[in-house]
Every structure is written in structure tokens, then in C-alpha cells.
Amino acid sequence: MSERKKDTKENLYSQTQLSKELKVSQSTITRLIRDSGIEPTKTIGRKKLYSEDQLKILRLSSFERKKDTHEVPNSNGLSGFLQEEIKRLHEENEKLTERYTEQLKAKDKQIDDLNERLSESHKLQLGLENQLKMLPETTQESQTQESETIVEETKKAPKSEKKGFWSRIFNK
């Protein structure tokens, strides 16, 4: 049943899907493909897949075929067919515009949220800096004195002599 599924990655159509899109039989699709000289875009095993551009070519070929056999679905002929195609494309364009507008609104909301978080972060950082400035200087001086005593103690600590392998084992 994979023949009936449309390949969503590249918008590829099987011959069965083409016949459903154009509302003609599969033998007619085969004849249109052969007459127009269209080669499949992709072949998977025995399954031949055709692109959307090729579908449009086949749609025009189908229209010409119907025109030749006086089975024109629209009395206006080619102009009617093209008007229907324009309407269909306009509807697709409207749907895409709506979808992209929704996506843009969502992105704008995300950007606004991030800007709010960033400003809150800046306010918090400024508050912390102000608190550090307000601390009495004695605490800062005591911290520097403590760090200096630690450094001096590490310098004064006796260095242990390096012992050889056997002296470490026998504690000599």
C-alpha cells in the first residue's frame, strides 16, 4: 500500500496518485507519460515516482487530450482551465501565508519572552553588584589577609624528600 502514500519529503507521486489527481484512468496516465516523454524523478524498485512539476505538465497534457476529444470540462477552454489553476494556486498561497504568519507570531512571542528574561537577569546582576559594593571594607580586607596567610603557610610547609622505590616499601 506504499504506492498510495505520497512521498512527503519531495512531493513525489506514483502513477496511481497521478491518476487520482487528474481524475483519469491509470492507462491514460501511462499514455500521457509516454506521449509527453516524461521520465520518472525517482525509481524505487518497480515503483516510478514523479515530481509536482511533472504533474503540472501531465495536467496540461490531459487538458489538451480532452480538448482534442471534445471532452472539455470547462466551456471556456484553456483560459478556464488556467483560471481554475490560478484559483487553486491562490488558495495554496493563502494557506501558506496563514501558516507562516502563525509561525512568525510564535517566534515574536519567544523573542519577547527572552528579552524579558534578559532584562530580569541584568537587574539581578546589578542588584548583586550593588550589594557587593555596600559590604563593609573590613570583610574584604579580612578575606585578603586570610588568603595571604594561606599562601604563606603553603610556602612554609616543609617539603618532603623524594624517596626511592625500595625506601618507600621498607620505610627507610
Side-chain angles (χ1 to χ4, degrees), residues 48-61:
K48 298 175 183 175
L49 299 174
Y50 298 90
S51 70
E52 204 156 325
D53 293 335
Q54 292 170 329
L55 170 65
K56 290 176 184 177
I57 292 169
L58 290 174
R59 187 174 281 140
L60 287 172
S61 298

Side-chain angles (χ1 to χ4, degrees), residues 34-49:
R34 184 183 63 230
D35 292 346
S36 60
I38 294 175
E39 293 293 321
T41 303
K42 192 174 188 180
T43 304
I44 301 173
R46 300 177 102 187
K47 182 178 171 184
K48 298 175 183 175
L49 299 174

Side-chain angles (χ1 to χ4, degrees), residues 108-166:
D108 287 343
K109 185 180 178 195
Q110 289 175 352
I111 290 170
D112 291 341
D113 290 343
L114 288 173
N115 282 333
E116 286 178 23
R117 290 179 184 170
L118 183 63
S119 66
E120 288 174 8
S121 172
H122 285 300
K123 288 176 185 176
L124 288 172
Q125 188 172 2
L126 286 174
L128 287 174
E129 286 177 5
N130 288 337
Q131 286 178 356
L132 284 174
K133 287 178 183 177
M134 297 173 97
L135 284 176
E137 291 184 24
T138 57
T139 57
Q140 292 176 355
E141 291 173 1
S142 64
Q143 288 177 353
T144 56
Q145 288 175 354
E146 288 176 9
S147 63
E148 288 174 0
T149 55
I150 292 173
V151 170
E152 289 174 6
E153 289 176 3
T154 55
K155 288 180 182 177
K156 292 179 182 178
K159 294 183 181 178
S160 60
E161 293 181 23
K162 288 188 177 180
K163 296 183 178 180
F165 174 74
W166 293 108

Side-chain angles (χ1 to χ4, degrees), residues 98-114:
E98 289 174 13
R99 190 174 88 204
Y100 290 140
T101 303
E102 291 173 9
Q103 288 178 354
L104 282 173
K105 286 179 182 177
K107 294 292 181 188
D108 287 343
K109 185 180 178 195
Q110 289 175 352
I111 290 170
D112 291 341
D113 290 343
L114 288 173

